[in-house]
Amino acid sequence: EASDILGRLPNEPDEELTKACSCDILVTSKGLLRGCWGKFEAEAFYRPFPHHDMVKLIRHILIMLLDIEKYATREGETIENVEVLGEGSYAKVFGLGPVAAK
């Protein structure tokens, strides 16, 4: 069970971690469309993802969710193997390592 491996969640979010995970999703400097493509503002993180660069993981999932990977590639970024885990009438679910986003 996950709680056995990771332990119980703390009662309160980690404020430093939450601030550290807020980031620009993609900033481009090439082509006609330049600038920031969006910002991710974390609401609450209780603990770091095990063995992963959290900001990179979050950014890559969001780049795929927004379907802007070709612009990231144009900027020289190599997008991790984000998987489509599911799809419904109103949403897709993407995953990378231990994280999924809808």
Side-chain angles (χ1 to χ4, degrees):
E1 187 171 299
S3 63
D4 294 336
I5 296 168
L6 299 173
R8 298 186 63 82
L9 279 178
N11 291 330
E12 298 295 322
D14 182 328
E15 289 184 36
E16 282 186 37
L17 183 61
T18 300
K19 287 178 188 173
C21 288
S22 295
C23 60
D24 292 341
I25 296 169
L26 178 64
V27 177
T28 57
S29 60
K30 300 174 184 170
L32 291 174
L33 304 171
R34 297 181 193 152
C36 182
W37 287 71
K39 294 182 179 289
F40 173 73
E41 292 187 25
E43 190 70 30
F45 277 93
Y46 288 82
R47 63 175 163 228
F49 304 152
H51 314 293
H52 287 86
D53 176 347
M54 290 181 65
V55 173
K56 182 178 179 181
L57 201 147
I58 291 166
R59 286 184 58 253
H60 285 195
I61 289 174
L62 292 170
I63 286 168
M64 293 299 291
L65 281 167
L66 295 171
D67 196 25
I68 57 175
E69 65 272 10
K70 72 178 179 181
Y71 303 106
T73 302
R74 186 182 297 159
E75 290 294 317
E77 186 154 357
T78 303
I79 303 299
E80 302 279 332
N81 293 325
V82 178
E83 298 177 64
V84 177
L85 302 175
E87 188 171 349
S89 300
Y90 299 102
K92 285 184 180 181
V93 179
F94 290 88
L96 179 58
V99 179
K102 176 178 154 184

